[in-house]
Amino acid sequence: MPQPGGRTLLGGKIHVIKVGTSSLLTNDEVGGQKVSLSNISRLVELIASLRKSGDHVVLVSSGAVGMGCLKLGLSERPTGPGVKQALAAAGQSRLMRLYEDLFAVIGVNVAQLLISRDDFSDKARFLAVRNTFW
């Protein structure tokens, strides 16, 4: 089986798509933030189209902190690391639920893998991550 890195895998290309908070959230009418369903829906349709053509897609998504702010009704994004970690924990479940629901509409199953920079620095951890995909 070919290895990752832009090479063909089981007949298709590998696409890594990174989306950030600014792609997932938009300003609302009163100066706050709301989920940008149109952006996320276009992303879901793009990924479905790539998969339909036989390609493989890895979605790398930020946005947990922003979703946590929405979930907890915060109008401003805190800056402290402990608060941001708590917001990410609160928002991650909402973010995954949103992805899960939208992809389910078009019959695509999703899964979550939480990784950090350290997972790429240590060979054993890197191989464990790689084996999750391939």
Side-chain angles (χ1 to χ4, degrees), residues 36-69:
S36 178
L37 289 175
S38 60
N39 283 355
I40 299 172
S41 296
R42 283 194 303 272
L43 173 66
V44 167
E45 290 174 350
L46 170 66
I47 291 171
S49 174
L50 291 168
R51 287 176 43 94
K52 187 175 182 180
S53 70
D55 290 349
H56 305 273
V57 180
V58 176
L59 174 61
V60 179
S61 179
S62 299
V65 173
M67 293 296 280
C69 288

PDB file of all heavy atoms in Angstrom, residues 36-69:
ATOM      1  N   SER A  36     -21.584  29.757  10.764  1.00  0.00           N
ATOM      2  CA  SER A  36     -21.800  30.003   9.336  1.00  0.00           C
ATOM      3  C   SER A  36     -22.201  28.690   8.669  1.00  0.00           C
ATOM      4  O   SER A  36     -21.359  27.960   8.135  1.00  0.00           O
ATOM      5  CB  SER A  36     -20.534  30.564   8.677  1.00  0.00           C
ATOM      6  OG  SER A  36     -20.762  30.735   7.296  1.00  0.00           O
ATOM      7  N   LEU A  37     -23.487  28.390   8.727  1.00  0.00           N
ATOM      8  CA  LEU A  37     -23.973  27.137   8.146  1.00  0.00           C
ATOM      9  C   LEU A  37     -23.702  27.062   6.651  1.00  0.00           C
ATOM     10  O   LEU A  37     -23.435  25.979   6.123  1.00  0.00           O
ATOM     11  CB  LEU A  37     -25.465  26.963   8.426  1.00  0.00           C
ATOM     12  CG  LEU A  37     -25.818  26.647   9.873  1.00  0.00           C
ATOM     13  CD1 LEU A  37     -27.327  26.610  10.054  1.00  0.00           C
ATOM     14  CD2 LEU A  37     -25.188  25.343  10.318  1.00  0.00           C
ATOM     15  N   SER A  38     -23.736  28.199   5.960  1.00  0.00           N
ATOM     16  CA  SER A  38     -23.477  28.175   4.522  1.00  0.00           C
ATOM     17  C   SER A  38     -22.035  27.763   4.237  1.00  0.00           C
ATOM     18  O   SER A  38     -21.785  26.935   3.352  1.00  0.00           O
ATOM     19  CB  SER A  38     -23.798  29.529   3.882  1.00  0.00           C
ATOM     20  OG  SER A  38     -23.009  30.550   4.447  1.00  0.00           O
ATOM     21  N   ASN A  39     -21.083  28.300   4.975  1.00  0.00           N
ATOM     22  CA  ASN A  39     -19.682  27.909   4.778  1.00  0.00           C
ATOM     23  C   ASN A  39     -19.457  26.442   5.096  1.00  0.00           C
ATOM     24  O   ASN A  39     -18.791  25.717   4.349  1.00  0.00           O
ATOM     25  CB  ASN A  39     -18.742  28.756   5.643  1.00  0.00           C
ATOM     26  CG  ASN A  39     -18.508  30.133   5.088  1.00  0.00           C
ATOM     27  OD1 ASN A  39     -18.962  30.476   3.999  1.00  0.00           O
ATOM     28  ND2 ASN A  39     -17.816  30.951   5.854  1.00  0.00           N
ATOM     29  N   ILE A  40     -19.996  26.006   6.225  1.00  0.00           N
ATOM     30  CA  ILE A  40     -19.791  24.621   6.640  1.00  0.00           C
ATOM     31  C   ILE A  40     -20.486  23.670   5.674  1.00  0.00           C
ATOM     32  O   ILE A  40     -19.938  22.622   5.320  1.00  0.00           O
ATOM     33  CB  ILE A  40     -20.256  24.409   8.093  1.00  0.00           C
ATOM     34  CG1 ILE A  40     -19.444  25.310   9.035  1.00  0.00           C
ATOM     35  CG2 ILE A  40     -20.098  22.946   8.493  1.00  0.00           C
ATOM     36  CD1 ILE A  40     -19.935  25.340  10.451  1.00  0.00           C
ATOM     37  N   SER A  41     -21.665  24.034   5.197  1.00  0.00           N
ATOM     38  CA  SER A  41     -22.374  23.189   4.231  1.00  0.00           C
ATOM     39  C   SER A  41     -21.596  23.063   2.926  1.00  0.00           C
ATOM     40  O   SER A  41     -21.519  21.977   2.339  1.00  0.00           O
ATOM     41  CB  SER A  41     -23.770  23.754   3.955  1.00  0.00           C
ATOM     42  OG  SER A  41     -24.548  23.715   5.120  1.00  0.00           O
ATOM     43  N   ARG A  42     -21.005  24.159   2.462  1.00  0.00           N
ATOM     44  CA  ARG A  42     -20.168  24.093   1.244  1.00  0.00           C
ATOM     45  C   ARG A  42     -18.959  23.196   1.459  1.00  0.00           C
ATOM     46  O   ARG A  42     -18.565  22.432   0.576  1.00  0.00           O
ATOM     47  CB  ARG A  42     -19.741  25.492   0.811  1.00  0.00           C
ATOM     48  CG  ARG A  42     -20.848  26.272   0.117  1.00  0.00           C
ATOM     49  CD  ARG A  42     -20.329  27.509  -0.613  1.00  0.00           C
ATOM     50  NE  ARG A  42     -19.614  28.442   0.241  1.00  0.00           N
ATOM     51  CZ  ARG A  42     -20.184  29.430   0.924  1.00  0.00           C
ATOM     52  NH1 ARG A  42     -21.490  29.614   0.850  1.00  0.00           N
ATOM     53  NH2 ARG A  42     -19.461  30.243   1.674  1.00  0.00           N
ATOM     54  N   LEU A  43     -18.372  23.271   2.635  1.00  0.00           N
ATOM     55  CA  LEU A  43     -17.243  22.411   2.969  1.00  0.00           C
ATOM     56  C   LEU A  43     -17.658  20.944   2.940  1.00  0.00           C
ATOM     57  O   LEU A  43     -16.966  20.098   2.361  1.00  0.00           O
ATOM     58  CB  LEU A  43     -16.693  22.780   4.350  1.00  0.00           C
ATOM     59  CG  LEU A  43     -15.611  21.876   4.928  1.00  0.00           C
ATOM     60  CD1 LEU A  43     -14.340  21.958   4.094  1.00  0.00           C
ATOM     61  CD2 LEU A  43     -15.346  22.241   6.386  1.00  0.00           C
ATOM     62  N   VAL A  44     -18.783  20.638   3.551  1.00  0.00           N
ATOM     63  CA  VAL A  44     -19.291  19.266   3.577  1.00  0.00           C
ATOM     64  C   VAL A  44     -19.550  18.767   2.150  1.00  0.00           C
ATOM     65  O   VAL A  44     -19.184  17.640   1.799  1.00  0.00           O
ATOM     66  CB  VAL A  44     -20.561  19.187   4.453  1.00  0.00           C
ATOM     67  CG1 VAL A  44     -21.302  17.878   4.251  1.00  0.00           C
ATOM     68  CG2 VAL A  44     -20.198  19.390   5.916  1.00  0.00           C
ATOM     69  N   GLU A  45     -20.148  19.603   1.316  1.00  0.00           N
ATOM     70  CA  GLU A  45     -20.409  19.205  -0.072  1.00  0.00           C
ATOM     71  C   GLU A  45     -19.122  19.000  -0.848  1.00  0.00           C
ATOM     72  O   GLU A  45     -19.008  18.083  -1.653  1.00  0.00           O
ATOM     73  CB  GLU A  45     -21.307  20.235  -0.746  1.00  0.00           C
ATOM     74  CG  GLU A  45     -22.725  20.213  -0.213  1.00  0.00           C
ATOM     75  CD  GLU A  45     -23.600  21.331  -0.760  1.00  0.00           C
ATOM     76  OE1 GLU A  45     -23.077  22.254  -1.418  1.00  0.00           O
ATOM     77  OE2 GLU A  45     -24.808  21.269  -0.510  1.00  0.00           O
ATOM     78  N   LEU A  46     -18.114  19.841  -0.612  1.00  0.00           N
ATOM     79  CA  LEU A  46     -16.818  19.676  -1.270  1.00  0.00           C
ATOM     80  C   LEU A  46     -16.183  18.346  -0.883  1.00  0.00           C
ATOM     81  O   LEU A  46     -15.707  17.593  -1.737  1.00  0.00           O
ATOM     82  CB  LEU A  46     -15.880  20.832  -0.893  1.00  0.00           C
ATOM     83  CG  LEU A  46     -14.419  20.657  -1.311  1.00  0.00           C
ATOM     84  CD1 LEU A  46     -14.273  20.653  -2.828  1.00  0.00           C
ATOM     85  CD2 LEU A  46     -13.563  21.731  -0.680  1.00  0.00           C
ATOM     86  N   ILE A  47     -16.183  18.048   0.399  1.00  0.00           N
ATOM     87  CA  ILE A  47     -15.590  16.798   0.873  1.00  0.00           C
ATOM     88  C   ILE A  47     -16.347  15.599   0.305  1.00  0.00           C
ATOM     89  O   ILE A  47     -15.736  14.623  -0.139  1.00  0.00           O
ATOM     90  CB  ILE A  47     -15.538  16.774   2.412  1.00  0.00           C
ATOM     91  CG1 ILE A  47     -14.520  17.816   2.894  1.00  0.00           C
ATOM     92  CG2 ILE A  47     -15.200  15.387   2.938  1.00  0.00           C
ATOM     93  CD1 ILE A  47     -14.518  18.057   4.386  1.00  0.00           C
ATOM     94  N   ALA A  48     -17.666  15.686   0.273  1.00  0.00           N
ATOM     95  CA  ALA A  48     -18.460  14.590  -0.294  1.00  0.00           C
ATOM     96  C   ALA A  48     -18.133  14.391  -1.770  1.00  0.00           C
ATOM     97  O   ALA A  48     -18.025  13.261  -2.246  1.00  0.00           O
ATOM     98  CB  ALA A  48     -19.947  14.872  -0.104  1.00  0.00           C
ATOM     99  N   SER A  49     -17.948  15.476  -2.486  1.00  0.00           N
ATOM    100  CA  SER A  49     -17.611  15.402  -3.908  1.00  0.00           C
ATOM    101  C   SER A  49     -16.243  14.754  -4.112  1.00  0.00           C
ATOM    102  O   SER A  49     -16.071  13.907  -5.005  1.00  0.00           O
ATOM    103  CB  SER A  49     -17.640  16.806  -4.508  1.00  0.00           C
ATOM    104  OG  SER A  49     -17.200  16.786  -5.841  1.00  0.00           O
ATOM    105  N   LEU A  50     -15.274  15.131  -3.308  1.00  0.00           N
ATOM    106  CA  LEU A  50     -13.939  14.531  -3.405  1.00  0.00           C
ATOM    107  C   LEU A  50     -13.988  13.038  -3.108  1.00  0.00           C
ATOM    108  O   LEU A  50     -13.366  12.228  -3.806  1.00  0.00           O
ATOM    109  CB  LEU A  50     -12.965  15.230  -2.453  1.00  0.00           C
ATOM    110  CG  LEU A  50     -12.590  16.659  -2.817  1.00  0.00           C
ATOM    111  CD1 LEU A  50     -11.857  17.327  -1.655  1.00  0.00           C
ATOM    112  CD2 LEU A  50     -11.755  16.700  -4.084  1.00  0.00           C
ATOM    113  N   ARG A  51     -14.747  12.675  -2.084  1.00  0.00           N
ATOM    114  CA  ARG A  51     -14.871  11.252  -1.732  1.00  0.00           C
ATOM    115  C   ARG A  51     -15.584  10.482  -2.835  1.00  0.00           C
ATOM    116  O   ARG A  51     -15.214   9.352  -3.138  1.00  0.00           O
ATOM    117  CB  ARG A  51     -15.602  11.106  -0.398  1.00  0.00           C
ATOM    118  CG  ARG A  51     -14.747  11.524   0.794  1.00  0.00           C
ATOM    119  CD  ARG A  51     -15.534  11.448   2.091  1.00  0.00           C
ATOM    120  NE  ARG A  51     -16.347  10.266   2.212  1.00  0.00           N
ATOM    121  CZ  ARG A  51     -15.978   9.134   2.818  1.00  0.00           C
ATOM    122  NH1 ARG A  51     -14.792   9.050   3.365  1.00  0.00           N
ATOM    123  NH2 ARG A  51     -16.803   8.102   2.885  1.00  0.00           N
ATOM    124  N   LYS A  52     -16.598  11.095  -3.425  1.00  0.00           N
ATOM    125  CA  LYS A  52     -17.345  10.432  -4.499  1.00  0.00           C
ATOM    126  C   LYS A  52     -16.444  10.149  -5.699  1.00  0.00           C
ATOM    127  O   LYS A  52     -16.626   9.153  -6.396  1.00  0.00           O
ATOM    128  CB  LYS A  52     -18.539  11.294  -4.915  1.00  0.00           C
ATOM    129  CG  LYS A  52     -19.460  10.610  -5.893  1.00  0.00           C
ATOM    130  CD  LYS A  52     -20.687  11.454  -6.185  1.00  0.00           C
ATOM    131  CE  LYS A  52     -21.610  10.716  -7.135  1.00  0.00           C
ATOM    132  NZ  LYS A  52     -22.804  11.502  -7.426  1.00  0.00           N
ATOM    133  N   SER A  53     -15.455  11.023  -5.926  1.00  0.00           N
ATOM    134  CA  SER A  53     -14.540  10.816  -7.047  1.00  0.00           C
ATOM    135  C   SER A  53     -13.441   9.808  -6.705  1.00  0.00           C
ATOM    136  O   SER A  53     -12.572   9.552  -7.529  1.00  0.00           O
ATOM    137  CB  SER A  53     -13.922  12.147  -7.480  1.00  0.00           C
ATOM    138  OG  SER A  53     -13.018  12.608  -6.502  1.00  0.00           O
ATOM    139  N   GLY A  54     -13.479   9.251  -5.505  1.00  0.00           N
ATOM    140  CA  GLY A  54     -12.524   8.218  -5.119  1.00  0.00           C
ATOM    141  C   GLY A  54     -11.349   8.721  -4.312  1.00  0.00           C
ATOM    142  O   GLY A  54     -10.437   7.954  -3.995  1.00  0.00           O
ATOM    143  N   ASP A  55     -11.360   9.990  -3.965  1.00  0.00           N
ATOM    144  CA  ASP A  55     -10.262  10.551  -3.186  1.00  0.00           C
ATOM    145  C   ASP A  55     -10.523  10.394  -1.686  1.00  0.00           C
ATOM    146  O   ASP A  55     -11.637  10.109  -1.261  1.00  0.00           O
ATOM    147  CB  ASP A  55     -10.065  12.030  -3.519  1.00  0.00           C
ATOM    148  CG  ASP A  55      -9.507  12.252  -4.916  1.00  0.00           C
ATOM    149  OD1 ASP A  55      -9.072  11.270  -5.555  1.00  0.00           O
ATOM    150  OD2 ASP A  55      -9.516  13.399  -5.377  1.00  0.00           O
ATOM    151  N   HIS A  56      -9.473  10.611  -0.910  1.00  0.00           N
ATOM    152  CA  HIS A  56      -9.537  10.519   0.547  1.00  0.00           C
ATOM    153  C   HIS A  56      -9.354  11.916   1.117  1.00  0.00           C
ATOM    154  O   HIS A  56      -8.585  12.705   0.579  1.00  0.00           O
ATOM    155  CB  HIS A  56      -8.442   9.586   1.061  1.00  0.00           C
ATOM    156  CG  HIS A  56      -8.493   8.243   0.415  1.00  0.00           C
ATOM    157  ND1 HIS A  56      -9.269   7.215   0.885  1.00  0.00           N
ATOM    158  CD2 HIS A  56      -7.886   7.775  -0.708  1.00  0.00           C
ATOM    159  CE1 HIS A  56      -9.134   6.161   0.087  1.00  0.00           C
ATOM    160  NE2 HIS A  56      -8.297   6.483  -0.883  1.00  0.00           N
ATOM    161  N   VAL A  57     -10.057  12.207   2.204  1.00  0.00           N
ATOM    162  CA  VAL A  57     -10.023  13.554   2.764  1.00  0.00           C
ATOM    163  C   VAL A  57      -9.768  13.490   4.261  1.00  0.00           C
ATOM    164  O   VAL A  57     -10.398  12.707   4.975  1.00  0.00           O
ATOM    165  CB  VAL A  57     -11.349  14.305   2.506  1.00  0.00           C
ATOM    166  CG1 VAL A  57     -11.292  15.707   3.094  1.00  0.00           C
ATOM    167  CG2 VAL A  57     -11.667  14.355   1.021  1.00  0.00           C
ATOM    168  N   VAL A  58      -8.840  14.326   4.710  1.00  0.00           N
ATOM    169  CA  VAL A  58      -8.609  14.548   6.130  1.00  0.00           C
ATOM    170  C   VAL A  58      -8.967  16.004   6.388  1.00  0.00           C
ATOM    171  O   VAL A  58      -8.389  16.906   5.785  1.00  0.00           O
ATOM    172  CB  VAL A  58      -7.139  14.285   6.516  1.00  0.00           C
ATOM    173  CG1 VAL A  58      -6.898  14.617   7.979  1.00  0.00           C
ATOM    174  CG2 VAL A  58      -6.751  12.839   6.212  1.00  0.00           C
ATOM    175  N   LEU A  59      -9.928  16.227   7.257  1.00  0.00           N
ATOM    176  CA  LEU A  59     -10.344  17.580   7.621  1.00  0.00           C
ATOM    177  C   LEU A  59      -9.666  17.963   8.928  1.00  0.00           C
ATOM    178  O   LEU A  59      -9.845  17.284   9.946  1.00  0.00           O
ATOM    179  CB  LEU A  59     -11.864  17.659   7.772  1.00  0.00           C
ATOM    180  CG  LEU A  59     -12.433  18.985   8.284  1.00  0.00           C
ATOM    181  CD1 LEU A  59     -12.090  20.126   7.335  1.00  0.00           C
ATOM    182  CD2 LEU A  59     -13.935  18.863   8.484  1.00  0.00           C
ATOM    183  N   VAL A  60      -8.876  19.009   8.894  1.00  0.00           N
ATOM    184  CA  VAL A  60      -8.225  19.552  10.078  1.00  0.00           C
ATOM    185  C   VAL A  60      -8.999  20.812  10.442  1.00  0.00           C
ATOM    186  O   VAL A  60      -9.027  21.763   9.676  1.00  0.00           O
ATOM    187  CB  VAL A  60      -6.738  19.875   9.813  1.00  0.00           C
ATOM    188  CG1 VAL A  60      -6.090  20.461  11.061  1.00  0.00           C
ATOM    189  CG2 VAL A  60      -5.999  18.631   9.333  1.00  0.00           C
ATOM    190  N   SER A  61      -9.636  20.787  11.593  1.00  0.00           N
ATOM    191  CA  SER A  61     -10.551  21.871  11.935  1.00  0.00           C
ATOM    192  C   SER A  61     -10.179  22.536  13.249  1.00  0.00           C
ATOM    193  O   SER A  61     -10.004  21.880  14.267  1.00  0.00           O
ATOM    194  CB  SER A  61     -11.974  21.320  12.032  1.00  0.00           C
ATOM    195  OG  SER A  61     -12.880  22.336  12.386  1.00  0.00           O
ATOM    196  N   SER A  62     -10.063  23.847  13.192  1.00  0.00           N
ATOM    197  CA  SER A  62     -10.009  24.657  14.406  1.00  0.00           C
ATOM    198  C   SER A  62     -11.458  25.026  14.728  1.00  0.00           C
ATOM    199  O   SER A  62     -12.375  24.530  14.097  1.00  0.00           O
ATOM    200  CB  SER A  62      -9.198  25.927  14.164  1.00  0.00           C
ATOM    201  OG  SER A  62      -7.888  25.629  13.806  1.00  0.00           O
ATOM    202  N   GLY A  63     -11.630  25.889  15.681  1.00  0.00           N
ATOM    203  CA  GLY A  63     -12.974  26.386  15.947  1.00  0.00           C
ATOM    204  C   GLY A  63     -13.585  25.969  17.259  1.00  0.00           C
ATOM    205  O   GLY A  63     -14.661  26.451  17.619  1.00  0.00           O
ATOM    206  N   ALA A  64     -12.917  25.093  18.010  1.00  0.00           N
ATOM    207  CA  ALA A  64     -13.507  24.629  19.270  1.00  0.00           C
ATOM    208  C   ALA A  64     -13.656  25.773  20.274  1.00  0.00           C
ATOM    209  O   ALA A  64     -14.670  25.854  20.969  1.00  0.00           O
ATOM    210  CB  ALA A  64     -12.679  23.490  19.862  1.00  0.00           C
ATOM    211  N   VAL A  65     -12.669  26.657  20.346  1.00  0.00           N
ATOM    212  CA  VAL A  65     -12.759  27.776  21.295  1.00  0.00           C
ATOM    213  C   VAL A  65     -13.906  28.705  20.897  1.00  0.00           C
ATOM    214  O   VAL A  65     -14.718  29.108  21.737  1.00  0.00           O
ATOM    215  CB  VAL A  65     -11.423  28.547  21.374  1.00  0.00           C
ATOM    216  CG1 VAL A  65     -11.586  29.803  22.231  1.00  0.00           C
ATOM    217  CG2 VAL A  65     -10.323  27.661  21.945  1.00  0.00           C
ATOM    218  N   GLY A  66     -13.996  29.027  19.609  1.00  0.00           N
ATOM    219  CA  GLY A  66     -15.089  29.872  19.139  1.00  0.00           C
ATOM    220  C   GLY A  66     -16.454  29.253  19.390  1.00  0.00           C
ATOM    221  O   GLY A  66     -17.399  29.933  19.794  1.00  0.00           O
ATOM    222  N   MET A  67     -16.557  27.941  19.158  1.00  0.00           N
ATOM    223  CA  MET A  67     -17.829  27.253  19.420  1.00  0.00           C
ATOM    224  C   MET A  67     -18.128  27.244  20.918  1.00  0.00           C
ATOM    225  O   MET A  67     -19.295  27.346  21.323  1.00  0.00           O
ATOM    226  CB  MET A  67     -17.782  25.825  18.874  1.00  0.00           C
ATOM    227  CG  MET A  67     -17.715  25.750  17.362  1.00  0.00           C
ATOM    228  SD  MET A  67     -19.166  26.416  16.536  1.00  0.00           S
ATOM    229  CE  MET A  67     -20.284  25.052  16.707  1.00  0.00           C
ATOM    230  N   GLY A  68     -17.088  27.140  21.735  1.00  0.00           N
ATOM    231  CA  GLY A  68     -17.279  27.196  23.182  1.00  0.00           C
ATOM    232  C   GLY A  68     -17.807  28.552  23.625  1.00  0.00           C
ATOM    233  O   GLY A  68     -18.671  28.638  24.494  1.00  0.00           O
ATOM    234  N   CYS A  69     -17.294  29.616  23.005  1.00  0.00           N
ATOM    235  CA  CYS A  69     -17.807  30.961  23.315  1.00  0.00           C
ATOM    236  C   CYS A  69     -19.294  31.059  22.983  1.00  0.00           C
ATOM    237  O   CYS A  69     -20.077  31.608  23.760  1.00  0.00           O
ATOM    238  CB  CYS A  69     -17.028  32.016  22.539  1.00  0.00           C
ATOM    239  SG  CYS A  69     -15.344  32.296  23.128  1.00  0.00           S
TER     240      CYS A  69
END
